[in-house]
């Protein structure tokens, strides 16, 4: 069976590794860029995705490039804690959660593909726009997927929700536990930060977000340079005794600007010998740290389904789950607690229990884990997607 994978990003490379582990040998990854380089900023890999990479034999490599996230905290506009919870193994998972530089993760996967499948398994400078003579074409070519456009012509650019994101990395001192991921905001304007490289000088990944006036920047252009002075101006008074937001923004090593966009859920992913995966299938808002994680899970389920001769099982398993998650992210997912705190206590609060009772906060967090497929008990007890050969 000849398989072509369009796209050499995280989803495409994870697919190549998953298919190879399931016994498929005749496969090639085609990447439109002439060179795969470690671009981008930080991302999070949730325990369900870390499990899949672990089962692909990549646990040690992942641990070497990532920071194990120990805590997630939500704060209001004034720096007061709304909700915090342990993450990864500290939350009872059998696998960690990692914060990692997207480019370093991509290069780690690329190295593994070349080691296991050979250097000819990845072809750069090769843009695939439609099916050819292969038995299966997998469109893992991102939010601007040419393969998706072939299946759904006329869909147009990704829809924009009116918010702009600025993403950057800055060397600074550790905050809170040193392995904390934090989100500060009021449901409209938001700042996120977490370490992606540990040490005396921690590399902090950050995301700043607010409504944007005027025309949206290029939709889906992840490498458009940001104006740091403009970003800092919007967060000038976001200084807390545990984090100085303007200082982090001003000290950025690199920063990028793009509008918050996603894709509408599709009625199907597969047509003939073509199927979609990752952002090409279900691009979603960067809420709840799910983009890369869901692409990795797609890859594993697809390989398992093909190994059992049932391509339809892949879409039947993944499309309903990711559709629900896409729509949940449009409703802000677990980040809704920041909006609720602002609506109920716009001038701040002394006692969060009087604003959002514990039971309500706990259910918001637990509900999203169930929706995204990483409820601890369910994940720890779920069967493996590995194929026994």
């Amino acid at each position: 069976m000849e398989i072509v994978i369009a796209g050499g990003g995280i989803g495409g490379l994870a697919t190549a590794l998953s298919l190879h582990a399931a016994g498929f040998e005749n496969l090639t990854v085609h990447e439109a860029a002439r060179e795969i380089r470690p671009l981008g900023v930080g991302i999070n890999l949730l325990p369900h995705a870390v499990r899949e990479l672990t089962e692909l034999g990549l646990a040690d490599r992942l641990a070497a490039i990532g920071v194990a996230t120990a805590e997630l905290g939500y704060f209001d506009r004034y720096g007061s804690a709304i909700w915090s919870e342990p993450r990864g193994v500290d939350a009872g998972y059998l696998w960690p959660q990692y914060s990692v530089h997207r480019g370093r993760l991509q290069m780690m996967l690329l190295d593994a593909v070349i080691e296991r499948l050979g250097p000819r398994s990845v072809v750069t400078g090769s843009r695939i726009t439609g099916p050819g003579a292969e038995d299966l074409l997998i469109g893992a070519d991102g939010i601007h997927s040419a393969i998706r456009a072939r299946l759904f012509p006329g869909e147009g650019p990704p829809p924009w929700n009116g918010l702009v994101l600025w993403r950057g990395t800055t060397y600074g001192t550790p905050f809170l536990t040193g392995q904390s991921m934090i989100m500060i905001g009021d449901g409209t304007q938001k700042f996120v930060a977490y370490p992606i490289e540990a040490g005396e000088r921690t590399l902090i990944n950050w995301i700043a977000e607010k409504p944007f006036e005027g025309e949206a920047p290029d939709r889906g252009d992840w490498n458009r340079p940001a104006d740091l002075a403009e970003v800092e101006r919007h967060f000038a008074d976001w200084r807390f005794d545990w984090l100085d937001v303007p200082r982090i923004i001003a000290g950025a090593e690199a920063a990028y600007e793009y509008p918050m966009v996603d894709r509408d859920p599709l009625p199907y992913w597969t047509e003939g010998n073509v199927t979609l995966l990752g952002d090409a299938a279900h691009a979603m808002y960067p809420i709840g740290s799910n983009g890369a994680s869901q692409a990795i899970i797609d890859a594993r389920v697809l390989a398992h389904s093909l190994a059992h001769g049932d391509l339809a099982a892949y879409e039947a398993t993944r499309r309903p789950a990711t559709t629900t998650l896409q729509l949940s992210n449009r409703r802000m997912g677990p980040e809704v607690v920041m909006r609720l705190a602002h609506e109920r206590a716009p001038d701040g609060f002394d006692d969060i229990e009087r604003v959002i009772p514990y039971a309500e906060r706990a259910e918001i967090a637990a509900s999203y884990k169930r929706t995204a497929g990483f409820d601890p008990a369910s994940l720890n007890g779920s069967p493996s997607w590995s194929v026994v050969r």
Side-chain angles (χ1 to χ4, degrees), residues 68-72 90 174-182 195:
T69 308
E71 173 193 42
L72 170 65
D90 291 338
F175 56 90
L176 298 180
T177 69
Q179 296 172 270
S180 298
M181 179 179 185
I182 58 93

Side-chain angles (χ1 to χ4, degrees), residues 167-171 204 206 228 246-256:
R167 304 189 71 157
T169 56
T170 303
Y171 279 101
I204 300 169
W206 56 265
L228 289 177
R247 184 174 183 178
I248 290 176
I249 294 172
E253 295 283 310
Y256 308 97

Side-chain angles (χ1 to χ4, degrees), residues 41 166-176 180-184 190-196 201-208 226-229 231-233 235-256:
V41 287
W166 295 286
R167 304 189 71 157
T169 56
T170 303
Y171 279 101
T173 56
F175 56 90
L176 298 180
S180 298
M181 179 179 185
I182 58 93
M183 302 190 184
I184 312 165
K190 180 179 74 177
F191 187 81
V192 179
Y194 50 85
I196 58 173
R201 295 182 71 237
T202 298
L203 184 60
I204 300 169
N205 183 81
W206 56 265
I207 305 153
D227 181 345
L228 289 177
V231 183
E232 185 182 357
R233 177 173 61 85
F235 295 84
D237 60 344
W238 288 43
R239 290 186 168 89
F240 318 111
D241 57 5
W242 52 277
L243 192 72
D244 187 330
V245 172
R247 184 174 183 178
I248 290 176
I249 294 172
E253 295 283 310
Y256 308 97

Side-chain angles (χ1 to χ4, degrees), residues 320-386:
T322 56
T323 294
T324 300
L325 188 56
Q326 284 178 285
L327 298 177
S328 176
N329 282 5
R330 286 183 173 180
R331 298 189 296 270
M332 297 181 63
E335 297 177 16
V336 72
V337 294
M338 294 186 290
R339 190 192 72 200
L340 293 175
H342 178 72
E343 290 175 349
R344 299 176 189 180
D347 298 320
F349 55 82
D350 295 321
D351 182 4
I352 186 59
E353 186 66 22
R354 298 176 61 182
V355 180
I356 312 176
Y358 176 85
E360 184 179 0
R361 287 174 286 150
E363 176 53 27
I364 289 171
S367 175
Y368 189 77
K369 292 183 180 71
R370 293 191 296 268
T371 297
F374 67 107
D375 170 70
S378 299
L379 176 60
N380 289 345
S382 63
S384 172
W385 291 111
S386 293

Side-chain angles (χ1 to χ4, degrees), residues 108-169:
M108 182 200 81
L109 295 172
L110 176 62
D111 289 344
V113 169
I114 292 174
E115 288 170 14
R116 298 178 186 183
L117 285 75
R120 294 184 179 179
S121 61
V122 179
V123 182
T124 57
S126 176
R127 179 176 173 81
I128 302 295
T129 59
E134 67 278 338
D135 297 296
L136 178 65
L137 171 62
I138 301 168
D141 48 344
I143 194 168
H144 293 298
S145 168
I147 309 304
R148 177 177 175 132
R150 185 72 172 259
L151 298 182
F152 298 93
E155 188 177 27
W160 177 44
N161 72 351
L163 297 176
V164 66
L165 300 178
W166 295 286
R167 304 189 71 157
T169 56

